[in-house]
Amino acid sequence: MSFGEKIASIMERPGQDSVAKDDTPWWMKYAGRGLGTVGGFIAIFLGVWNCATILLASIMCFLSGIWQMVAGFIVLMIEAPCCCLFIDFVQNLSDMVENKPYWNKAAVYCIIALPPIFLCPGISSIFGCGLIFATGVIYGLMSIGRKGTRPDPAGMTSSGVGSPQGTVPPTTDHHTTLMEDPDVWRPT
């Protein structure tokens, strides 16, 4: 068993299939989960710090701190339900969210991370919610999927798909460019 497989077996959720259901790399899944967990803790801590600004009569920063703490707690419930064992519905909520597409998590994380930054644009809001936003970006990248292999784009251009009216016959040489082969396309 390789080191990566050992880490993956430690980090997998209870009842999770050991076979991947999509083509997302294992390191990206755990990067999203790890950043979400750490970002949730930091957002809660910095949210409390923002709430302490009520002593300076800054109501907007107080509201920003409350929103940031709630956002951090939501991310923590979804990404690390083991940290919220005292709430009985957290595991069900986390399992429900895990069955949704990645773009749903990406949209929710990016949306809940923005209001505290607009309410109180300070370093604690930007850093705390920035980690939640970065988690949303990772899940957004996971929803896009893997990039194609090198032969894929070459195969698409050689079939005449990108040519005007599809009049170009397919060529077998994938290294031919428009400048080297004048028969590929001529303006009329």
Side-chain angles (χ1 to χ4, degrees):
M1 180 180 279
S2 70
F3 181 70
E5 291 172 349
K6 288 180 184 178
I7 296 295
S9 68
I10 292 171
M11 297 286 289
E12 72 182 14
R13 302 172 67 110
Q16 180 180 355
D17 293 335
S18 59
V19 178
K21 294 180 180 161
D22 55 1
D23 60 346
T24 306
W26 66 269
W27 59 268
M28 193 172 235
K29 289 180 185 179
Y30 295 124
R33 181 155 308 214
L35 185 63
T37 303
V38 171
F41 278 122
I42 291 175
I44 290 171
F45 175 73
L46 293 175
V48 171
W49 184 263
N50 272 352
C51 285
T53 60
I54 193 67
L55 299 172
L56 302 173
S58 177
I59 300 299
M60 295 305 276
C61 285
F62 179 72
L63 294 174
S64 169
I66 290 174
W67 186 288
Q68 188 171 344
M69 286 189 301
V70 169
F73 186 68
I74 289 171
V75 171
L76 208 56
M77 280 191 322
I78 293 171
E79 296 299 327
C82 62
C83 296
C84 305
L85 292 175
F86 54 90
I87 303 175
D88 56 352
F89 67 88
V90 170
Q91 187 64 40
N92 294 336
L93 173 73
S94 179
D95 290 339
M96 180 189 70
V97 171
E98 282 297 317
N99 293 331
K100 302 288 183 192
Y102 289 131
W103 68 266
N104 287 349
K105 260 199 237 189
V108 168
Y109 289 171
C110 289
I111 289 172
I112 65 173
L114 291 178
I117 296 172
F118 292 131
L119 288 173
C120 182
I123 190 72
S124 60
S125 296
I126 292 172
F127 185 66
C129 288
L131 291 174
I132 295 173
F133 191 84
T135 305
V137 168
I138 288 176
Y139 278 110
L141 291 173
M142 287 168 59
S143 70
I144 293 172
R146 289 180 181 251
K147 67 178 189 175
T149 60
R150 181 162 169 77
D152 289 341
M156 290 184 63
T157 58
S158 67
S159 65
V161 174
S163 65
Q165 292 101 18
T167 58
V168 176
T171 180
T172 58
D173 185 15
H174 294 290
H175 297 91
T176 303
T177 63
L178 290 176
M179 299 304 275
E180 294 171 357
D181 189 6
D183 293 331
V184 172
W185 181 75
R186 287 190 199 137
T188 56

